[in-house]
Amino acid sequence: MSERWLVVGLGNPGPTYAGNRHNAGQMVLDELASRCGASFKAHRANAVVAETRLGTLPGGAPGPRVVLAKPLTYMNTSGGPVSALSKYYDVPPERVVVVHDEVDIPFGTIRLKAAGGEGGHNGLRDISKALGTREYVRVRAGVGRPPGRQDTADYVLKDFGTAERKDLPFLLDDAADAVETVVTQGLLAAQGTFHAKG
């Protein structure tokens, strides 16, 4: 289990976007970093990264080495940094985990998948193009559908609502747990745990 993983949290850069639904992926990375006592540092791949170990293996050994990464590009151009980091750290696509917001699943729900389509998520589309494959793991943090006729793009670029903010720590915690489970026990184990919850 010495192989390294690359865990990427998607979002938009800067304080204006920090609380947006679209930045749920980056919020999950902040949660993971705080669990490990790791801090992010600038990387030449146009991202901030924190190198650490995640979780514990059976018997109490420290979990696998991971690189936590937040691209400094806008969401729709996340592919460049992800591809550059996977080359720099020599991580194959099947050990790349992308954490992102997902409007097609209810708020508070976590879903995981490897490969498959991008469901209209431009950040994922750009990553698939840059990596040359869709064969990477996605941890999808449900933010729910926009109410009424609100445009999806407007909805994800707004901050979480008051009621949602109360429950947001649980969503971030579950998504962080899901990432830890993927890297320590594998995708199927993570799906078994988190898909049963929702």
Side-chain angles (χ1 to χ4, degrees):
M1 286 292 286
S2 65
E3 302 110 334
R4 191 187 264 131
W5 290 76
L6 172 61
V7 180
V8 181
L10 297 190
N12 286 312
T16 316
Y17 300 100
N20 288 182
R21 293 181 180 92
H22 223 17
N23 274 44
Q26 294 204 345
M27 294 176 196
V28 173
L29 270 273
D30 290 337
E31 167 63 24
L32 284 165
S34 76
R35 287 181 181 190
C36 308
S39 48
F40 289 97
K41 296 177 177 62
H43 190 282
R44 66 179 188 218
N46 206 7
V48 291
V49 303
E51 294 181 51
T52 186
R53 285 182 178 272
L54 265 195
T56 47
L57 298 174
R65 289 185 304 154
V66 292
V67 177
L68 303 174
K70 299 191 291 186
L72 295 174
T73 56
Y74 284 93
M75 169 77 84
N76 296 352
T77 52
S78 302
V82 175
S83 172
L85 289 166
S86 87
K87 289 188 182 83
Y88 181 87
Y89 289 105
D90 196 23
V91 177
E94 62 271 17
R95 284 205 306 276
V96 173
V97 179
V98 176
V99 189
H100 64 90
D101 61 300
E102 179 58 73
V103 294
D104 288 329
I105 53 180
F107 174 78
T109 309
I110 304 296
R111 289 286 177 267
L112 301 98
K113 69 175 187 175
E118 292 92 5
H121 199 294
N122 292 327
L124 293 179
R125 192 174 291 136
D126 200 59
I127 290 168
S128 298
K129 189 170 144 204
L131 290 176
T133 180
R134 291 172 165 174
E135 304 285 323
Y136 54 91
V137 178
R138 299 94 185 269
V139 173
R140 305 152 73 204
V143 297
R145 305 260 352 143
R149 296 188 171 175
Q150 189 179 358
D151 180 65
T152 303
D154 290 342
Y155 174 72
V156 295
L157 290 174
K158 294 254 185 330
D159 286 3
F160 285 99
T162 312
E164 290 172 324
R165 275 201 294 274
K166 287 197 186 82
D167 292 326
L168 184 59
F170 302 109
L171 174 66
L172 302 181
D173 206 42
D174 277 354
D177 286 348
V179 172
E180 281 195 20
T181 308
V182 168
V183 302
T184 56
Q185 299 172 46
L187 177 64
L188 287 178
Q191 285 175 324
T193 301
F194 291 92
H195 291 192
K197 278 188 169 187

